[in-house]
Amino acid sequence: MKHYYFEVERRHRESHVYITNEASQKIGEIILHPREKFDKEHSFLFRYRDGESYFLGLRQRRFKDMNVARYELFTDDEKFKFKERKIHNIMNFRVDGVIDDSNYSFTERVANTLEMVKEGVTIGRITEDEIVVNDHTLRVEESVLFLMYFMFKLYKREPVSFKKYLYNMG
């Protein structure tokens, strides 16, 4: 299992939120990244140290789908869609989607813990204190888990204590 952590770095007027590994090495940064057609407060980019990046945003809601949130994940050359499950989302957070022909679900199984399930097998979980993923988890899977945490907290109407420190590209 790989363990990651959120790390806030503040210098002068700038602040950043990084994901670090067990050796306290920064593997990437989470950035607030407003985009057209997405909610400006809920559009995020995760950029690995080597420059590879992933964007996850909450689509602006239309009247006909006010009760079901829709999310889109963009890689350098692909787009994947996720959406809340009707009925399931009344009691608990539940988002489903497909990445490269594999089914993914993001659910709250334990209080304040978001789990990522791929084809019925839990491959990662995240809390405000710790992120744990399987050793063979792909970068796209790690990235969507890191970013979906913000959507999970939005659903629960709970603040993310370090969100105010995200670098804003807008």
Side-chain angles (χ1 to χ4, degrees), residues 121-137:
V121 177
T122 301
I123 62 169
R125 64 179 162 73
I126 186 170
T127 65
E128 195 151 325
D129 299 325
E130 182 180 43
I131 305 160
V132 179
V133 295
N134 290 353
D135 288 329
H136 303 295
T137 304

Side-chain angles (χ1 to χ4, degrees), residues 56 69-73 79-85 93-107 115-120 123 141 144 148:
L56 180 70
R70 296 175 189 279
Y71 309 96
E72 290 184 11
L73 174 71
K79 176 172 95 171
F80 304 102
K81 295 182 179 186
F82 297 87
K83 71 177 188 175
E84 288 181 348
R85 292 275 306 263
F93 183 79
R94 170 77 185 261
V95 173
D96 296 328
V98 176
I99 299 174
D100 295 331
D101 299 324
S102 294
N103 294 316
Y104 289 84
S105 291
F106 296 87
T107 59
E115 289 189 358
M116 179 171 56
V117 177
K118 176 183 180 181
E119 300 293 343
I123 62 169
E141 295 167 336
V144 73
M148 192 62 77

